Amino acid sequence: MKRALLLAGTASYSLSPAMHNAAFAALGLHARYDALGLSEADLPATLELLRGPDFYGANVTLPHKLAVLPLLDALSDAAQVVGAVNTIVNRDGVLEGHNTDASGFLRALKEDGGYDPAGREVVMLGAGGSARAVAYALLRAGVERLSVHNRTPEKAQALSAAFSPYGVIEAVADELLATRVERSALLVNTTSVGLAGEQEGWSPLPEGALPRELVCDIIYRPARTKLLSDAAAGGLGVQNGLPMLVYQGAEAFALWTGARAPVTVMKEAAEAALAD
Ligand code: ATR
């Protein structure tokens, strides 16, 4: 039996076990995916375990996406530039770190949304960990310009400076946000504003400001945030965070097994687990 783990914080809940176990079953692979809640102090011993022949590798989620970096043998370009690892691949005892949040985001946009951001003006809200993966993906995809807005402007400035080698990227101040959004084709929200719980029902955008083509929210709970319902009411295309979740999983699955991931099976399993 082959195994994959999710290295998570102690109290995390995840859709990934449902998604990957359904994919293993669909392909007839004798394999199992388990979530493991652990503290940072447990990471070195757990990574040693992953070098064993039974292990495909692991996914890594909050709060360990940064802490695993120095414990790995090699990093993909995306993992290095984003500065975070969400997928570890065990290649005969050698541990590689990858970031499939970036590739998963882009694949979701293209394959699920039918949208190619190349040559487009884009606004991204937020400057945290997810924003780094999204910025990397969009700049690599060849957007014309990526404007970054964040509640704490210093973080948007730091992110823009860090990613400027990869394309045209700039931080946008509060007072310029609405006009920049209206001029853009695509808007991506990576902040937690609108998330189920305390932040539900709020939009991260100034009232009435919408881009021209598509609004993408990386939140999937609720399935339709205030931002997405405002965008749909304005006649725009909308995409929530579930396709990104599915495709980051599909990319990890392909890295581990060498097989093409059954994306539809994974999406249905994630939706079923979410509805539970
Ligand atoms: P993740 O890994 O999901 O990106 P994160 O790194 O904690 O999580 O980033 C959260 C993002 O949501 C940040 O951009 C944060 O803004 P700050 O940098 O100013 O903290 C943004 N965010 C969270 N709550 C917010 C709120 N109430 N209003 C606006 N932005 C908010």
Side-chain angles (χ1 to χ4, degrees):
M1 153 104 48
K2 287 286 244 180
R3 298 189 63 194
L5 296 177
L6 172 65
L7 312 182
T10 40
S12 321
Y13 171 77
S14 169
L15 301 175
S16 293
M19 218 163 52
H20 285 286
N21 285 321
F24 289 143
L27 267 58
L29 293 168
H30 190 49
R32 202 178 80 212
Y33 183 108
D34 297 294
L36 195 64
L38 72 177
S39 68
E40 192 172 332
D42 298 326
L43 283 177
T46 310
L47 263 64
E48 278 313 306
L49 185 74
L50 287 182
R51 295 180 194 275
D54 294 349
F55 282 93
Y56 283 133
N59 278 143
V60 188
T61 186
L62 298 175
H64 302 310
K65 283 185 176 188
L66 307 180
V68 295
L69 259 81
L71 303 170
L72 300 169
D73 303 313
L75 293 177
S76 71
D77 187 48
Q80 220 159 67
V81 176
V82 173
V85 161
N86 81 321
T87 301
I88 298 172
V89 181
N90 174 25
R91 295 217 193 272
D92 299 324
V94 176
L95 297 184
E96 295 173 358
H98 294 258
N99 190 304
T100 71
D101 287 331
S103 48
F105 169 76
L106 197 61
R107 224 179 127 190
L109 208 54
K110 287 186 172 175
E111 290 185 27
D112 206 89
Y115 191 84
D116 185 351
R120 297 292 206 276
E121 286 242 6
V122 183
V123 172
M124 179 177 76
L125 306 176
S130 308
R132 293 182 65 91
V134 168
Y136 176 85
L138 289 170
L139 292 173
R140 276 301 167 100
V143 299
E144 183 172 289
R145 172 161 60 174
L146 182 58
S147 303
V148 185
H149 178 270
N150 193 50
R151 174 179 61 181
T152 313
E154 295 76 21
K155 286 207 220 162
Q157 284 153 12
L159 188 148
S160 300
F163 283 80
S164 59
Y166 306 97
V168 180
I169 179 168
E170 64 186 20
V172 178
D174 290 350
E175 57 276 19
L176 293 177
L177 177 62
T179 46
R180 187 60 64 89
V181 166
E182 280 155 14
R183 222 172 66 192
S184 294
L186 169 67
L187 176 111
V188 183
N189 176 48
T190 74
T191 76
S192 52
V193 179
L195 184 66
E198 282 173 17
Q199 303 205 44
E200 190 165 355
W202 296 92
S203 169
L205 272 188
E207 188 74 36
L210 284 176
R212 291 183 289 103
E213 293 174 345
L214 179 71
V215 175
C216 181
D217 199 328
I218 71 162
I219 294 170
Y220 54 81
R221 203 171 8 212
R224 209 163 247 209
T225 54
K226 166 89 161 65
L227 173 66
L228 292 187
S229 47
D230 288 351
L236 296 178
V238 294
Q239 184 175 50
N240 73 15
L242 197 65
M244 176 183 180
L245 177 85
V246 171
Y247 282 105
Q248 66 71 33
E251 298 276 302
F253 186 93
L255 285 167
W256 293 330
T257 63
R260 204 176 156 74
V263 174
T264 307
V265 167
M266 294 176 83
K267 185 161 193 222
E268 282 167 6
E271 278 167 349
L274 194 57
D276 259 356

